[in-house]
Each structure stands twice: as C-alpha cells, then as structure tokens.
Amino acid sequence: MTTDITIPTIDLPFPVSQGNPLQQHLYPATLEWARRFRLVTTDAAAERLRKYRLELCSFYAPTVDSLAPLQLLTDWITWAVVLEDQIDEATAGLRPDLLAPVLDEFRAIIRDDPQRPAPSGPAMAALADLWNRTAPDSRPEWRQRFYEHLSEQFRAELRASIHRAAQSPMDMATCIELRAKTGWVTLTHDLQHHIHHIRLPDTVYCSTPYQTLLWSTADIVMWTNDLYSYTREAAFGELNNLAIVLQNQKGLDPQQALDHVRTMIDDRVQDFLKAGRELPDLIGSLQLPAEAVATAESCLTHMQTLVRGSHDWHVSCERYHHGPDIAENLQSLEDVFGITQGSADEPSKDVPHNEKGDTP
C-alpha cells in the first residue's frame, strides 16, 4: 500500500490557462478519429480516453481561430497518449526487443522512407495519417527538428523499457534526462510552431537561452506529471518517476520526495524566467531583424502556455483521480502496435490488485 500524500502546490508566474472557443468540438472529433484508426475499439477504451480531457489541448493554442489546426494538435496528442499507455502499462514496455522495431517503423513514417512497409498496426496507420496531414504544410527545417525530437523521444522510451525489463533502478541523472525526453513536450512545442506558422531562425533556436527555455519547460511539465502520477506509479512499480527515484536514492519518505520535486520545479521555473529575460539581449547582439524579435516573443508566450496549460490540465482532468482498480484499468488497453500483448511466455508486471489508482 502507498502512504497517503498531499500533492504540493506549484506556483507558476503565468496567467491561468484560457480555453479556445472551439474546444467543445475537439473531443467528439478526436474520438471519431481514434475509432477510425482503431486506437479505440471498445467502450472501456473510449471511457479511458474521455478521462484524459484532451479537449484541453486548446490550452496550448487559445488564439487559433480555425478548427483544423486545433484538431490536428489534439489528434497528435491523442496518438501520443495512447502510445504512452501502451509502452508504460502493456507488455511492450517490458519487452524492448518488441518495442524497438515498432519505434523504427514510426521513424520510417516520419522520414517518408519509400521502402517502408504498409502500416503493421493501428498506431502506425494513425501516425501515417497524422504525418500526411502535417508534412505538406511544413518547411524542411521544421520537419528536421520534428524528426530529431521524435527520434530522441523514441530512444528515451526504449531506454526506459530496458530499465523496466531488467528491473534496474534509475539514478537521478538518468531519470532527469529520460523524463524530459519521454513526455512529448518537444512534440507539443514543435506543433505549436507548426499551427502558428512560426519561423524561428537557427541562430535563436540553437542559442543557450532558447534551449534553456525548451528543456526547463520539459522538466517543469514532466516533474509536475510525476507529482500527480506518484500514487498510481508507486503502486504499479514504475521506475521512470522523479519522486520515486528520489525516494529510493535519498531514502526519503513519499511526502518528502514529493516536496523535494516541488522545490526542483521551483528552481526550474527560475531558470525559465532567467532565460526569458536573456533572450531579447541575445537577439539584439545578433543584430537580427525586427520580425525575429516578434517571433521569439511569440515562442516565449507559447512555452508559457505549455507550462501553465499542462499544469492546469493535470489539475482538471480525471486521469489522476484514484478509483478503479489498477488491474481493471489495464483491461481497457488495446494492442495498437500489432504485436501480441501478455502471452504466456512474456514477462508481465506484478499488479497489486488491492491498490487503487488511475492512469498516469
């Protein structure tokens, strides 16, 4: 049994998230899309998806006045959520030998590899649809960044899978690195740029202030996730959670570990604010044109909405409301990779049937 804990309050110096007026249309359309590609085939899976409140993806684009780009963003995040559940909770996450070729197939789709085979499962077919809707309206430099971020994400997912399969605890440095890369934060950042038609020069994007903004955003978002998902993940035996790593490595009790994560989040918020103050001076020193200044300011605003929107989503959605038995929750998972899940000769997680929890 896990100890009762209180999730620490996180103070963010950004305005409370504003929903997009079009957000009421997002979930019904996304559910239809997920059913069409068989990411969702049962009522239990549809209820699982409903609890994610994916219409709140509108927090990341409150000023977009067209449904199509909002729907594209929401469908991408829906795909990512389903994928994450499949890796974290189903057999694939314990079988790096099965997971690696799946991730290679994903890469081939984003590379537009002419030799790639027909999609071998629902997740592959859905990704091909997403890429067909995204790539034609994007620039080569954006596609390159997007591919690099996704490929990095896939490598991190595979590394986390290896830790699970070997039941090998993570040290702090490994956990911090993997949390930043396995949370789809860079994907959302890139999609914000795509749907807002942002052209950020490499001289800004590759700078230390901008990279600090990007990766402090990832840390804040994912460490916040670790606070809200702690109870369920501690019961489930997850390794890729900063609070759990702190608890094991530093000998902290659960509440001390959560409070320590909150302190780390506070420090990263300060890193974010400092980098945001440094960005205008950098642009000035590079003597970039005026439109580069406006673009950088827009990027900073979008990252603020990403940090704040993710926090407000964690508070608002039902994903972390503890109620259903964990084993019952697992039964709503479907095989979207096109590989056999949970066969007799495969390892499986020891699910504590007496623990209460919900999805991460």
Side-chain angles (χ1 to χ4, degrees):
M1 298 289 290
T2 55
T3 304
D4 288 338
I5 53 91
T6 299
I7 297 174
T9 300
I10 301 170
D11 296 321
L12 295 174
F14 311 128
V16 174
S17 299
Q18 299 296 314
N20 190 292
L22 297 171
Q23 76 178 40
Q24 62 180 321
H25 303 290
L26 294 176
Y27 176 70
T30 286
L31 179 60
E32 187 278 328
W33 176 81
R35 288 189 184 278
R36 177 155 49 94
F37 286 94
R38 300 188 65 78
L39 298 177
V40 168
T41 63
T42 66
D43 290 342
E47 174 62 13
R48 181 187 182 95
L49 191 64
R50 183 196 65 78
K51 290 182 178 180
Y52 284 84
R53 294 208 62 193
L54 292 167
E55 70 274 11
L56 298 185
C57 292
S58 68
F59 285 169
Y60 305 137
T63 62
V64 170
D65 59 3
S66 175
L67 185 59
L70 274 177
Q71 191 66 58
L72 180 65
L73 173 65
T74 306
D75 290 352
W76 267 108
I77 295 177
T78 299
W79 179 84
V81 161
V82 173
L83 177 68
E84 192 71 17
D85 281 350
Q86 195 83 175
I87 293 173
D88 284 355
E89 301 183 22
T91 307
L94 290 168
R95 290 293 301 270
D97 58 322
L98 298 179
L99 183 59
V102 168
L103 300 177
D104 284 341
E105 188 170 347
F106 291 157
R107 288 188 182 93
I109 292 170
I110 303 299
R111 284 198 312 265
D112 292 315
D113 186 344
Q115 303 301 317
R116 71 179 186 273
S120 61
M124 296 73 168
L127 178 60
D129 174 76
L130 289 169
W131 192 236
N132 287 337
R133 292 158 58 193
T134 304
D137 191 32
S138 64
R139 298 177 307 282
E141 62 269 25
W142 181 90
R143 293 195 295 274
Q144 181 64 30
R145 289 176 189 168
F146 190 74
Y147 173 79
E148 289 172 355
H149 283 151
L150 269 187
S151 191
E152 193 169 34
Q153 165 104 23
F154 296 153
R155 283 191 292 271
E157 295 285 6
L158 188 61
R159 286 177 61 192
S161 174
I162 293 167
H163 274 276
R164 293 187 191 101
Q167 297 185 340
S168 172
M170 294 182 185
D171 57 32
M172 280 282 292
T174 300
C175 182
I176 287 172
E177 179 187 358
L178 294 187
R179 291 310 287 141
K181 295 176 180 177
T182 57
W184 307 103
V185 175
T186 53
L187 175 137
T188 306
H189 162 271
D190 293 344
L191 289 170
Q192 284 181 316
H193 284 202
H194 178 70
I195 66 176
H196 288 96
H197 306 289
I198 286 174
R199 302 188 66 169
L200 186 68
D202 275 348
T203 47
V204 178
Y205 174 80
C206 295
S207 70
T208 295
Y210 196 87
Q211 289 297 303
T212 299
L213 285 166
L214 178 58
W215 291 108
S216 61
T217 294
D219 288 341
I220 295 164
V221 168
M222 295 315 300
W223 298 350
T224 299
N225 177 272
D226 287 350
L227 295 179
Y228 280 85
S229 63
Y230 171 84
T231 297
R232 177 238 164 245
E233 291 188 342
F236 196 60
E238 178 57 79
L239 299 172
N240 192 17
N241 179 300
L242 182 58
I244 292 171
V245 170
L246 277 166
Q247 188 178 343
N248 294 335
Q249 187 165 321
K250 294 183 176 293
L252 305 177
D253 66 37
Q255 190 63 56
Q256 289 173 327
L258 294 174
D259 291 342
H260 192 98
V261 171
R262 194 276 311 274
T263 299
M264 293 176 67
I265 291 172
D266 291 344
D267 290 343
R268 286 305 266 160
V269 169
Q270 294 306 310
D271 292 340
F272 182 102
L273 295 174
K274 180 175 182 290
R277 292 190 297 267
E278 292 172 348
L279 196 60
D281 290 340
L282 170 77
I283 293 173
S285 67
L286 295 174
Q287 299 182 334
L288 296 175
E291 58 264 27
V293 176
T295 298
E297 290 176 351
S298 295
C299 292
L300 180 57
T301 298
H302 294 319
M303 279 191 276
Q304 290 170 350
T305 64
L306 181 49
V307 170
R308 184 74 207 204
S310 176
H311 172 273
D312 294 348
W313 173 80
H314 278 89
V315 172
S316 302
C317 78
E318 298 176 47
R319 190 183 188 189
Y320 304 99
H321 292 183
H322 307 300
D325 183 84
I326 292 175
E328 177 185 338
N329 186 54
L330 290 176
Q331 293 172 7
S332 67
L333 283 171
E334 301 173 272
D335 178 14
V336 301
F337 289 169
I339 59 178
T340 301
Q341 303 287 353
S343 63
D345 61 343
E346 292 172 350
S348 60
K349 290 186 177 181
D350 294 326
V351 179
H353 290 257
N354 61 334
E355 289 290 349
K356 301 297 182 181
D358 208 331
T359 55

